[in-house]
Every structure is written in structure tokens, then in C-alpha cells.
Amino acid sequence: MTDHVHDLRSVREATDRLLTAVAKLDNAVLAEESHLPGWTRGHILAHLARNADALVNVFEGRPMYESATARDADIERDAGRPLEEHLTDLRDSGARFLATTEHDQDWSRTVELRNGITDLAANVPFRRWVEVDLHHVDLDIGYELSDLPDEFTEREIVFLADRWSGRPEVPPVALVADDGRRWRTGSAGDPAVTVSGAPAGLLAWLSGRGDKGASLTTSGGPLPELPPL
């Protein structure tokens, strides 16, 4: 089973990194575009705060979000706030999430996330870590995919490679890191396409971020286009 205690410690560390970096910004910078199309940096910070509260809902047996419309409206409502309000909300919502994880509970139980997706409760801390660290990169404030902890990068590659496995619109692909680690993704069958490069580059392609494959080497065919996450 996933080590949720370790992952919760990683969530704390990632949140501290994020708060330290965001505290150096100003209101004008928050209003600028992020790496995510259509979202300012303020949208990302609002999303991260509301995601923490949504995961509290998950642990307490409520729907993660009231609805997709309400989720989007909450982000839009909070995106334009001043820096200090964003920082307070990030700290407080993050603390609420961590406090919920300190309660006695069955970490092997199945919980329901957004859009009917289910997972083990023990995996939710890693999902929060993903939200915090990948969206820190999305802020476009100097934290890059190559700065992510090695453990995070490998685990997220595994997660996303599994997500795209069995998808008929994605051909069988072999993923080869420059340090020799290997994964596969895409539909069933022997991979004809091999994608090679640094782990950060593989993660960029799998997650639709960064250079989206420009730094990778592809053999056996063109680099497949992945569906949006």
C-alpha cells in the first residue's frame, strides 16, 4: 500500500515551497497569464485552495465538488483576490486538509473523487502532492519540471503512463529515460514507437506541459498526441 504518512510529509514540504515562492510575488504578477491557457496565476492559487477543501470533502464522505459549475465558479470568484488573501487561503485550506488526515480512519477504504473516479484513501495524499507541485510549475515563476523531486517525477510518470494505457486513440509506446528506466503506455500490443529522454521531458509529454515532447527523441513513428488530462 502507498505510504500515506510519507506522502503527507511531502505535501507539507511542497506546500511550504509554494507559499515561500508565492509570497515573493505581487498583485500585478498574480493577474498575469500562467502556463495554463485561460488561467492567470490567481486562478491556479484559487484552484489549489479549493482543491484542498474538496479533498476534505472526500475524506469526510461528501461529494468532492457540489458540481462542475460550482467548482469553476468558485475558482473564478477567488482568482482576482489580492496576494495576502491568496496566501491566507492557501495556508488555511492546506491546514484543513492536513488536519483531516490526522483523524483515525481506514486508509484502505475506497473513496470517490471527481467525475466518479474512485481510489484508495491512502492514495489521496499523493494526489494532493501532485496538485501542489505540478501547479507550482504551472505558475511560471521559476519552478520547473526539472526542479521536481526525483521520486515525484518517477511516480507521476508511472501514474500517467497507466492513465493512458489501454486507450485505443494512443498507440503502444515504450518510454525510456536517459538513465535506463523504462515504462510503457498506450493501447495494447508491442510498442512500435519509442520515446526517449530525460524524466522531466517524459513527464512534460505525459502531462501536456513544458515543451510537450520537443526535448524527446522518438523512433518508430511520430510522437503521439495525447488527449487532454
Side-chain angles (χ1 to χ4, degrees), residues 4-226:
H4 64 273
V5 175
H6 166 80
D7 288 346
L8 287 168
R9 184 165 57 248
S10 297
V11 169
R12 292 185 182 93
E13 293 169 353
T15 301
D16 287 345
R17 279 195 299 273
L18 175 69
L19 288 168
T20 298
V22 171
K24 299 175 183 177
L25 307 180
D26 58 36
N27 294 333
V29 171
L30 289 187
E32 294 173 353
E33 289 295 310
S34 70
H35 277 318
L36 296 182
W39 270 17
T40 65
R41 295 185 177 102
H43 282 89
I44 290 178
L45 298 183
H47 163 62
L48 283 171
R50 300 290 68 77
N51 172 262
D53 286 336
L55 292 178
V56 171
N57 290 336
V58 168
F59 276 121
E60 296 184 349
R62 296 186 294 273
M64 186 169 178
Y65 294 100
E66 179 182 330
S67 66
T69 300
R71 170 189 176 272
D72 294 345
D74 287 346
I75 293 170
E76 195 64 40
R77 177 198 66 207
D78 295 341
R81 296 176 302 179
L83 174 62
E84 288 305 317
E85 290 186 24
H86 276 296
L87 286 170
T88 298
D89 196 13
L90 284 169
R91 290 192 193 97
D92 291 350
S93 60
R96 287 191 293 270
F97 167 74
L98 291 173
T100 302
T101 67
E102 293 170 357
H103 299 162
D104 289 337
Q105 56 192 292
D106 177 10
W107 286 95
S108 67
R109 75 188 188 280
T110 298
V111 295
E112 184 170 343
L113 301 165
R114 190 182 174 204
N115 298 327
I117 293 172
T118 59
D119 203 350
L120 297 179
N123 292 333
V124 172
F126 181 66
R127 287 179 175 270
R128 177 59 182 173
W129 184 12
V130 170
E131 291 287 329
V132 175
D133 249 351
L134 278 189
H135 283 318
H136 189 167
V137 173
D138 293 334
L139 285 172
D140 188 20
I141 56 175
Y143 189 65
E144 307 294 342
L145 288 170
S146 57
D147 296 320
L148 293 166
D150 291 341
E151 177 203 354
F152 174 95
T153 299
E154 179 167 4
R155 289 176 64 183
E156 186 64 355
I157 288 174
V158 171
F159 176 82
L160 291 173
D162 181 69
R163 179 168 183 161
W164 301 130
S165 291
R167 298 282 291 265
E169 69 272 36
V170 181
V173 178
L175 305 171
V176 182
D178 51 15
D179 58 9
R181 286 176 290 173
R182 303 178 68 92
W183 306 271
R184 66 151 296 156
T185 194
S187 51
D190 294 331
V193 176
T194 298
V195 178
S196 307
L202 295 172
L203 178 56
W205 175 64
L206 288 167
S207 66
R209 286 173 164 84
D211 59 21
K212 300 181 182 179
S215 63
L216 300 174
T217 300
T218 306
S219 60
L223 182 69
E225 183 175 346
L226 297 174

